[in-house]
Amino acid sequence: QQIQEDLNKQLLDNLLSFLSRSHSEFQEKTTGWTCRMKFREIPTAALVLGVNVTDHDLTFRGLSDVLQDNITPYVALLEAKDCPGIKNLMQKLMGQLMNCDIDVDSLEDEDYVQVSQNRIRCSMSSLISWYESVTKKTDSETPSKKRNSSSRHWQSPPVVVIFKDMESFTTKVLQDFIVISSQHIHELPLVLIFGIATSPMIIHRLLPHSVSSLLCIELFQSLSCKEHLSTIIDKLILTSQFPFKLGQKVLQVLINIFLYHDFSVQNFIKGFQLCIVEHFYSQPLSVLCCQLVDIKKRVCSLSHDQCENIRRLPSFRRYVEKQESGKQIELLTNDSFLKEETEKLLEDLHVYHENYVSILRCLHVFTSSLPKYPLGKQIRELHCACLENRVWETEEYESSLQLARMLNKTDLVTMLQQCVEILMSSSGKGFDKTVEKLKEFLTLFQNLEAEASQERDVSVSSQKEFQKKTDLYHLQKTLLELKESRKSKKLTKFEMLRFEVVDYIDSLVRKYLVPADERTLQEIMYFNAATVLRGHLNAAPRTALHTALNNPHWYLKNQALKCDGGGISNKAPDICIVYKLHLECGRLINLVDWLEAFSTVVMAAEEPNADAASSDQVDDIIHARFIRAVSELELLGFIKPSKQKTDHVARLTWGGC
Amino acid sequence: MPNLEHPAYPAADLLHLESLVPCRESQVSMLLSIFGERQQFSFPSIFIYGHTSSGKTYVMQTLLTTLQLPHVFVNCVEYFTSRLLLEEILIQVQSCSSDTEQTSPVHCDTLNDFVRLFKQALASRELQDQTLYIVLDRAEQLREMEANILPAFLRLQELTDRNVTVVLLSEIVWELFRPNVGCFEPFTMYFPDYSIGHLQKILSQNHPPEYSADFYAAYINILLGVFYMVCRDLKELRHLAALNFAKYCEPVVRGEANERDTRKLWKNIEPHLKKAMQTVYLREISSSQWERLQHDGGEPGQLKGLSAHTHVELPYYSKFLLIAAYLASYNPVRTDKRFFLKHHGKIRKTNFMKKHEKTSNHLLGPKPFPLDRLLAILYSIVDNRVAPTANIFSQITSLVTLQLLSMVGQNDQLDGPRYKCTVSLDFIRAIAR
């Protein structure tokens, strides 16, 4: 679990670094703005953040922290839901500003009293007087106590007001606020920040020209959330630092939720964390999922039960079956031998991860520039493909290799250089030879260049042909030609070399990008319960309700309730009977008919030879039960009373479950 | 041009005043004659209206300050509740009376209190014999306060029995103010828009000191020639003039042209101004960006305006939800069956009719639709099966917060909420790609 905490911290660090990166430019601007106050414009930053609303909160908190640290102590965050009117807005603004002032110099108590007095009158003039008093005080104080944080800010720090969700503010509130503050811009250096989720056009839609002319708007585009995601994936999943890995299906589920549903990096991270918790909770062997240095200690401390657990792992069984019989028995009976073996295997797994990541990046370098992206544009797609099965057996891989065989020289050389860089920077040990080999290729290419100047007419013509025909339209034709040409004429040196390079890359891929499923003991590190995760993250409340009401035994665990087919059993709870009956009705349901049907179902169990009196006069108890069930349905939102017809209720839901 | 003449005020002050308020001489002299002498009771309330930036506020302020008349100046937008407004007036009155007493925080909740406190404040003042002017800027806001505020201000002289005149400044005519209960009719006065000549005169008045007035006037002439067609707002024009003047002066600074060479300067500035009209005037790019651009001499193409970023990235299902919402808003219910069912009957024949309907529907605007219909259309337009998960529902609400959809009618979420699609066809087209 401490690993999880590590992860959390890492994630937050990542996010914060993003924020500071995207806003560093912004801060410079803010400093510049205050210089130009000669017009009556309020400097305004429009921050376009994309539609992932759930992430904004964190972004803004980070932003205000950064601003408070570097530029001004006076930052107010305003949310639309707090400000239905201009009055509430001012109150909120004053409260936040004065509180943050108290944070800066928390020593003076009489200051606090003053503030609470001021709160009664929430208007711009009192805000201005407060601002003047505060700035004056800091001016006089800064020489005396230099260590004060205010020395970092300059003499008259601007007051930054952040509107978190520009879209939801009512037009009038914003207009009024802008008009008011524009009148006092000389006394109170305000800076507005609008958080915009959709597009900057919203400013023009919300504000008339007379108001927007009071603003001096600059636009800042924050990172697209897709890019954000790929960096997160890059840093979290495609590293060998964290022993915990996601299986292919799980990763796919997480990415799908992200792309299809909310674009929220926050939710992605939460899902990731959920995976970690679930993994450590459900997998008894997850103690072994730790950093390489700890493995030895932990393996030694394994109990007998845990060893049995290891023996039960499917991947381990496969491994055992491959060994010769003597070793098999040792593995299955001797605990200490098993421990040694496990340690070795886990170390193997670590090495495999390290190699995997760097080779994956190399392959990505190659495939990402191919036309039509047979293996996907993003590295995450490639990663998924590699996890799923042996990548070299797929059609896409075949076609991409074929395309790679037709690359022109400059591209090929740059790619090789990139690969060399990646491999050099990676920590894997077994790459020395690979790097050498690649470098050898590079020198060969350079040599070739020298030679090419002599026999230009041969190679250039053929090369040109290939360059022209790299688009997919001509692919088929070129391939045919290639086959013919292979037979007919001798290949040029360049082509030979190119084939060699591609073959070598192919061999690397075959060697290192083995899907994790085939590795022994992968269960310890990989979390693969995609259905569990989907159940947790992609909740389907309506479907759940439907199943609960349709097949009560699903939840109640009572065998008697299990009914066959479409029949309505009378043993089920009342609400289930009512629900099933209501499914058969149209938009408007006659209550009397419904009640009759209900009583028939309920009475069916009791003696069919019910006396005449109770047959036409429904039993009071049944009546009461019916009414209770119907009101429960109303509470669940399935029906509502209708005014169109007396004694009828309207259905609110239709199919679609 | 009538010179300002009034027996009560010294001629020097009047002359100064005249230089400060160009093109508004007639209005000022009218006001002066209404105000009369300092100690004379004036008209109880005056209502001044005129279009945006026709100098109402400016004229009143300069008039009152240069002649040193006791006055209170309050903007009604800023003091948005009646309590704030009244308290602010009282505070200013107290500060008018200056040295005598320490201004203590006043609490004034109702108009009754206000009248009492106002009397007190005036009684303690030495200026009792002078008329006090209360100027309420943007008086149209008064209509939204309590019903008794506006009539009371109109009769303040009568109510307080003091020498006070209330001046209301507004952009709309008095007829829209008049409360239904009988009230005192103020003296109404109209400030007409500035003509092009007036604008020229006013703009050329504040020329930068390092250049001659003639030079600046020529520049203003060119500027007005370009912008007068689209903008007559004095504030905007002044802003534009200040922004573009540096560019205009460039040839002079470089020594390529002298100040008299208007033709050359015109050639230089004209395309530039046209560009400015497309960008700065609409606030597509901010003025600081514009200045930086001028400084670098770069192309404005690299700086994309606000409206250039119209593209919105949406998650996969959100896109479909929005498209479904759009279809549900603009197609009548009875066509649903025809469009979205597999076994529809005759669609070829009705093709023409459909087109006709669509245009009229677009003119009518979006119609509300229930949630179920939205989901049904969503299921039919998405290829693969969609589970009605919580995520889908939460996306609908997030679309509402983004103001792409809007909720119509009652607030009860359980009672079949109805939505409306608020985006345009172009937006949908961009998304549907």
Side-chain angles (χ1 to χ4, degrees):
Chain A
Q1 255 69 4
Q2 76 265 33
I3 298 163
Q4 189 198 340
E5 278 164 27
D6 281 1
L7 268 176
N8 280 343
K9 218 169 67 188
Q10 152 103 12
L11 288 175
L12 280 176
D13 285 351
N14 277 354
L15 278 174
L16 278 181
S17 71
F18 274 127
L19 291 176
S20 52
R21 217 180 305 152
S22 62
H23 298 305
S24 59
E25 175 204 22
F26 160 75
Q27 285 159 23
E28 287 160 23
K29 296 281 163 54
T30 343
T31 51
W33 280 341
T34 36
C35 308
R36 32 168 293 97
M37 290 287 177
K38 50 186 174 183
F39 299 108
R40 251 218 184 159
E41 292 181 322
I42 312 170
T44 308
L47 218 56
V48 181
L49 287 163
V51 291
N52 44 342
V53 189
T54 33
D55 293 354
H56 292 180
D57 213 22
L58 203 79
T59 317
F60 280 119
R61 224 177 308 139
L63 172 63
S64 70
D65 284 350
V66 167
L67 283 177
Q68 259 172 358
D69 286 349
N70 299 332
I71 294 185
T72 163
Y74 316 118
V75 179
L77 273 169
L78 295 176
E79 253 179 295
K81 67 169 187 277
D82 298 329
C83 313
I86 181 85
K87 195 174 163 187
N88 309 48
L89 187 141
M90 291 302 288
Q91 269 169 0
K92 195 90 190 162
L93 177 66
M94 304 267 294
Q96 283 196 18
L97 283 177
M98 296 187 171
N99 271 333
C100 77
D101 167 52
I102 286 163
D103 286 341
V104 168
D105 38 25
S106 52
L107 308 171
E108 290 102 330
D109 279 37
E110 77 278 320
D111 190 42
Y112 189 80
V113 179
Q114 200 186 336
V115 165
S116 58
Q117 269 180 357
N118 265 6
R119 247 192 206 162
I120 303 160
R121 270 180 56 83
C122 291
S123 70
M124 212 60 181
S125 56
S126 49
L127 189 63
I128 289 164
S129 57
W130 162 79
Y131 180 76
E132 272 168 5
S133 70
V134 164
T135 41
K136 228 179 272 164
K137 211 190 303 160
T138 42
D139 280 357
S140 55
E141 269 172 18
T142 33
S144 57
K145 31 180 177 173
K146 269 180 186 170
R147 50 164 192 81
N148 202 335
S149 64
S150 50
S151 57
R152 255 187 301 154
H153 316 301
W154 4 282
Q155 289 303 35
S156 60
V159 175
V160 181
V161 181
I162 304 176
F163 292 92
K164 268 190 190 171
D165 35 2
M166 174 92 173
E167 276 90 351
S168 329
F169 276 96
T170 44
T171 327
K172 203 177 162 303
V173 172
L174 270 184
Q175 279 178 29
D176 283 355
F177 182 72
I178 290 167
V179 168
I180 291 170
S181 42
S182 79
Q183 302 215 317
H184 296 284
I185 192 70
H186 294 287
E187 297 132 62
L188 185 73
L190 264 180
V191 177
L192 304 183
I193 298 177
F194 295 143
I196 296 173
T198 47
S199 73
M201 286 300 281
I202 196 87
I203 295 177
H204 288 301
R205 230 167 60 198
L206 277 178
L207 304 173
H209 183 245
S210 60
V211 178
S212 64
S213 64
L214 294 172
L215 300 174
C216 170
I217 302 170
E218 282 199 40
L219 198 66
F220 299 92
Q221 191 99 35
S222 78
L223 230 66
S224 141
C225 39
K226 277 182 189 166
E227 288 165 36
H228 201 141
L229 176 77
S230 26
T231 21
I232 288 275
I233 286 182
D234 227 39
K235 289 221 170 110
L236 272 182
I237 295 169
L238 299 178
T239 51
S240 44
Q241 285 174 358
F242 303 116
F244 176 75
K245 300 281 173 198
L246 289 176
Q248 182 265 332
K249 278 182 195 144
V250 175
L251 189 60
Q252 201 68 52
V253 166
L254 282 179
I255 289 177
N256 274 353
I257 287 177
F258 179 82
L259 288 182
Y260 282 6
H261 288 296
D262 49 10
F263 267 176
S264 161
V265 178
Q266 198 66 19
N267 282 357
F268 183 82
I269 290 166
K270 291 232 174 80
F272 189 74
Q273 285 165 354
L274 179 75
C275 291
I276 297 172
V277 173
E278 188 73 33
H279 178 70
F280 281 103
Y281 179 70
S282 60
Q283 177 63 258
L285 286 173
S286 51
V287 269
L288 292 180
C289 176
C290 57
Q291 302 288 353
L292 192 57
V293 276
D294 301 336
I295 281 186
K296 192 161 188 174
K297 213 167 57 192
R298 296 206 186 175
V299 167
C300 289
S301 61
L302 283 180
S303 67
H304 177 70
D305 283 351
Q306 281 168 323
C307 292
E308 284 301 311
N309 275 331
I310 292 179
R311 281 173 197 137
R312 249 177 262 134
L313 288 179
S315 66
F316 189 74
R317 261 189 250 157
R318 250 182 279 136
Y319 172 75
V320 170
E321 276 157 26
K322 275 183 215 149
Q323 312 298 324
E324 68 262 22
S325 58
K327 207 176 171 190
Q328 270 186 18
I329 296 164
E330 272 295 280
L331 275 175
L332 291 179
T333 51
N334 190 348
D335 272 1
S336 56
F337 183 70
L338 175 83
K339 277 178 193 170
E340 268 172 41
E341 197 67 22
T342 322
E343 201 183 319
K344 219 190 303 160
L345 284 171
L346 283 174
E347 269 164 26
D348 276 359
L349 207 56
H350 272 279
V351 173
Y352 157 74
H353 282 320
E354 279 168 9
N355 296 344
Y356 176 87
V357 171
S358 31
I359 295 293
L360 187 73
R361 283 180 203 276
C362 288
L363 185 62
H364 178 65
V365 167
F366 270 85
T367 55
S368 61
S369 59
L370 295 174
K372 282 266 188 176
Y373 310 106
L375 275 173
K377 209 175 185 175
Q378 305 280 351
I379 196 162
R380 58 169 186 260
E381 296 166 54
L382 192 64
H383 180 58
C384 281
C386 290
L387 282 176
E388 197 173 3
N389 44 30
R390 299 179 185 188
V391 72
W392 56 89
E393 284 170 359
T394 58
E395 262 177 55
E396 290 87 15
Y397 184 75
E398 277 304 307
S399 66
S400 61
L401 270 195
Q402 250 154 18
L403 285 171
R405 283 195 188 105
M406 281 177 289
L407 286 168
N408 62 20
K409 198 168 88 185
T410 46
D411 286 354
L412 205 58
V413 169
T414 49
M415 280 176 197
L416 280 177
Q417 272 160 353
Q418 277 175 6
C419 288
V420 168
E421 274 168 30
I422 290 170
L423 292 180
M424 297 281 264
S425 62
S426 80
S427 49
K429 288 153 210 146
F431 286 131
D432 299 343
K433 238 170 64 189
T434 335
V435 172
E436 264 169 40
K437 183 89 179 164
L438 286 176
K439 275 184 180 161
E440 196 182 314
F441 278 130
L442 275 175
T443 47
L444 276 177
F445 271 117
Q446 273 152 16
N447 291 345
L448 202 70
E449 211 162 328
E451 282 173 44
S453 55
Q454 295 159 7
E455 36 179 308
R456 177 163 290 169
D457 27 39
V458 190
S459 59
V460 162
S461 63
S462 62
Q463 235 177 314
K464 258 189 187 164
E465 210 175 30
F466 285 121
Q467 280 167 6
K468 244 188 273 170
K469 290 177 178 170
T470 38
D471 57 319
L472 209 70
Y473 182 74
H474 291 289
L475 174 66
Q476 211 72 4
K477 225 167 85 187
T478 346
L479 283 178
L480 282 175
E481 272 174 25
L482 206 83
K483 264 178 200 165
E484 277 170 29
S485 65
R486 225 182 259 173
K487 285 167 197 162
S488 60
K489 64 177 177 184
K490 202 175 143 264
L491 293 172
T492 61
K493 261 189 186 167
F494 167 69
E495 281 160 6
M496 299 265 283
L497 201 55
R498 190 165 56 188
F499 277 125
E500 236 173 86
V501 169
V502 174
D503 286 344
Y504 182 68
I505 294 287
D506 187 32
S507 71
L508 278 181
V509 168
R510 275 162 205 266
K511 191 172 163 198
Y512 291 111
L513 290 190
V514 186
D517 297 357
E518 293 171 19
R519 305 294 303 196
T520 316
L521 291 183
Q522 51 94 10
E523 285 92 341
I524 290 174
M525 310 245 171
Y526 281 82
F527 177 69
N528 235 335
T531 44
V532 179
L533 188 70
R534 195 180 287 133
H536 282 312
L537 290 185
N538 222 353
R542 214 157 135 178
T543 328
L545 255 181
H546 184 76
T547 36
L549 292 172
N550 247 343
N551 327 307
H553 73 272
W554 191 274
Y555 287 98
L556 292 180
K557 304 213 162 105
N558 185 348
Q559 282 307 309
L561 295 177
K562 208 178 227 169
C563 58
D564 32 83
I568 303 174
S569 132
N570 58 345
K571 290 188 199 76
D574 292 343
I575 188 170
C576 299
I577 301 172
V578 170
Y579 178 76
K580 277 188 195 173
L581 287 171
H582 122 282
L583 283 183
E584 293 162 7
C585 296
R587 208 183 108 65
L588 285 174
I589 307 169
N590 189 334
L591 275 175
V592 180
D593 293 351
W594 203 3
L595 172 60
E596 232 144 67
F598 178 72
S599 69
T600 349
V601 172
V602 174
M603 299 294 271
E606 277 127 54
E607 64 279 30
N609 52 343
D611 44 75
S614 69
S615 66
D616 56 57
Q617 190 66 45
V618 184
D619 192 0
D620 276 353
I621 295 174
I622 291 178
H623 199 163
R625 278 166 64 186
F626 173 72
I627 287 173
R628 194 180 66 183
V630 167
S631 55
E632 275 169 357
L633 271 193
E634 193 182 333
L635 190 69
L636 288 174
F638 283 102
I639 53 168
K640 71 166 184 184
S642 130
K643 279 171 195 137
Q644 291 169 12
K645 266 178 168 177
T646 48
D647 295 342
H648 280 67
V649 288
R651 254 184 91 172
L652 289 172
T653 52
W654 300 97
C657 291
Chain B
M1 192 82 38
N3 263 326
L4 295 177
E5 275 174 23
H6 203 277
Y9 307 104
D13 275 359
L14 287 177
L15 222 64
H16 181 57
L17 179 67
E18 195 182 341
S19 70
L20 279 178
V21 282
C23 315
R24 280 281 175 258
E25 289 85 358
S26 61
Q27 279 83 14
V28 170
S29 66
M30 171 89 116
L31 277 173
L32 280 178
S33 56
I34 294 169
F35 287 172
E37 288 172 34
R38 277 170 194 270
Q39 70 280 8
Q40 285 171 346
F41 271 61
S42 168
F43 214 74
S45 50
I46 302 168
F47 181 81
I48 299 176
Y49 68 101
H51 205 258
T52 322
S53 71
S54 49
K56 303 178 294 293
T57 314
Y58 177 70
V59 165
M60 272 322 284
Q61 213 152 17
T62 39
L63 178 68
L64 292 172
T65 43
T66 42
L67 296 185
Q68 291 170 339
L69 297 169
H71 67 278
V72 168
F73 207 96
V74 179
N75 190 332
C76 295
V77 178
E78 192 182 332
Y79 302 97
F80 38 85
T81 63
S82 59
R83 189 173 140 229
L84 281 177
L85 182 72
L86 298 178
E87 281 176 5
E88 178 65 23
I89 292 174
L90 285 176
I91 288 173
Q92 286 198 22
V93 167
Q94 278 179 353
S95 63
C96 264
S97 60
S98 68
D99 44 35
T100 49
E101 82 225 72
Q102 188 61 260
T103 51
S104 55
V106 271
H107 294 284
C108 171
D109 283 324
T110 62
L111 211 78
N112 218 347
D113 288 345
F114 174 70
V115 170
R116 185 173 51 81
L117 290 167
F118 189 73
K119 273 186 188 168
Q120 270 178 21
L122 279 193
S124 62
R125 294 171 40 148
E126 69 271 29
L127 298 165
Q128 261 179 355
D129 49 341
Q130 291 189 26
T131 317
L132 177 76
Y133 296 94
I134 298 178
V135 186
L136 299 173
D137 200 358
R138 314 237 350 193
E140 57 266 23
Q141 296 289 326
L142 286 179
R143 296 180 301 169
E144 278 147 41
M145 295 178 188
E146 285 89 349
N148 63 347
I149 293 280
L150 181 59
F153 270 119
L154 292 175
R155 285 172 185 271
L156 199 61
Q157 200 175 68
E158 195 180 317
L159 287 171
T160 54
D161 202 18
R162 292 285 182 276
N163 190 354
V164 62
T165 294
V166 176
V167 183
L168 302 170
L169 304 180
S170 174
E171 283 175 18
I172 55 178
V173 292
W174 168 248
E175 278 68 31
L176 294 170
F177 271 81
R178 190 179 290 142
N180 39 16
V181 201
C183 73
F184 188 82
E185 288 286 318
F187 177 84
T188 53
M189 196 170 157
Y190 178 59
F191 273 43
D193 284 351
Y194 290 114
S195 70
I196 187 164
H198 288 162
L199 286 175
Q200 165 96 42
K201 198 171 161 195
I202 295 166
L203 283 174
S204 1
Q205 209 175 39
N206 46 2
H207 60 89
E210 60 264 42
Y211 294 99
S212 73
D214 281 352
F215 177 65
Y216 194 74
Y219 165 66
I220 291 298
N221 201 3
I222 291 170
L223 187 88
L224 278 179
V226 175
F227 282 105
Y228 189 68
M229 299 297 282
V230 291
C231 172
R232 298 178 186 198
D233 193 326
L234 183 59
K235 274 186 228 150
E236 279 293 297
L237 284 172
R238 195 186 291 154
H239 173 78
L240 287 166
L243 270 185
N244 294 311
F245 187 61
K247 186 82 180 172
Y248 182 72
C249 297
E250 234 170 49
V252 180
V253 174
R254 272 181 296 177
E256 286 171 14
N258 61 4
E259 295 196 3
R260 302 251 164 267
D261 208 350
T262 34
R263 206 183 148 67
K264 201 167 184 180
L265 289 172
W266 157 249
K267 274 251 167 69
N268 175 41
I269 193 77
E270 197 208 358
H272 185 74
L273 284 181
K274 289 219 164 112
K275 235 186 310 176
M277 183 153 75
Q278 284 162 6
T279 52
V280 181
Y281 176 58
L282 295 172
R283 307 283 155 165
E284 292 283 289
I285 61 176
S286 71
S287 42
S288 60
Q289 276 171 319
W290 178 252
E291 276 192 342
R292 219 174 307 136
L293 204 74
Q294 281 185 343
H295 196 71
D296 304 341
E299 284 291 299
Q302 31 179 280
L303 255 183
K304 277 190 259 166
L306 283 180
S307 53
H309 301 266
T310 42
H311 179 63
V312 178
E313 258 189 359
L314 284 173
Y316 184 74
Y317 283 139
S318 290
K319 278 182 190 169
F320 276 106
L321 268 175
L322 204 57
I323 293 169
Y326 185 79
L327 291 172
S329 280
Y330 284 99
N331 285 337
V333 184
R334 66 196 149 82
T335 56
D336 277 1
K337 206 169 163 188
R338 203 172 52 198
F339 289 152
F340 302 116
L341 278 186
K342 289 255 160 38
H343 308 290
H344 46 64
K346 39 195 178 165
I347 194 156
R348 299 281 174 269
K349 277 182 197 168
T350 51
N351 222 353
F352 175 74
M353 219 176 73
K354 188 183 81 185
K355 219 167 232 171
H356 176 71
E357 273 172 8
K358 209 162 193 179
T359 49
S360 63
N361 276 335
H362 277 287
L363 289 178
L364 286 174
K367 291 185 190 60
F369 53 87
L371 175 66
D372 282 320
R373 191 166 159 232
L374 171 69
L375 288 180
I377 295 179
L378 174 72
Y379 297 143
S380 71
I381 59 173
V382 180
D383 292 336
N384 43 356
R385 245 179 63 80
V386 192
T389 57
N391 275 333
I392 295 271
F393 295 123
S394 69
Q395 266 175 59
I396 296 177
T397 39
S398 78
L399 283 177
V400 172
T401 48
L402 294 180
Q403 304 246 301
L404 297 173
L405 300 181
S406 66
M407 193 126 89
V408 186
Q410 72 280 68
N411 296 322
D412 195 356
Q413 286 283 336
L414 284 177
D415 272 10
R418 292 162 77 80
Y419 298 92
K420 222 181 210 181
C421 184
T422 52
V423 294
S424 66
L425 182 62
D426 293 336
F427 189 88
I428 288 291
R429 279 215 183 104
I431 278 182
R433 254 187 288 114

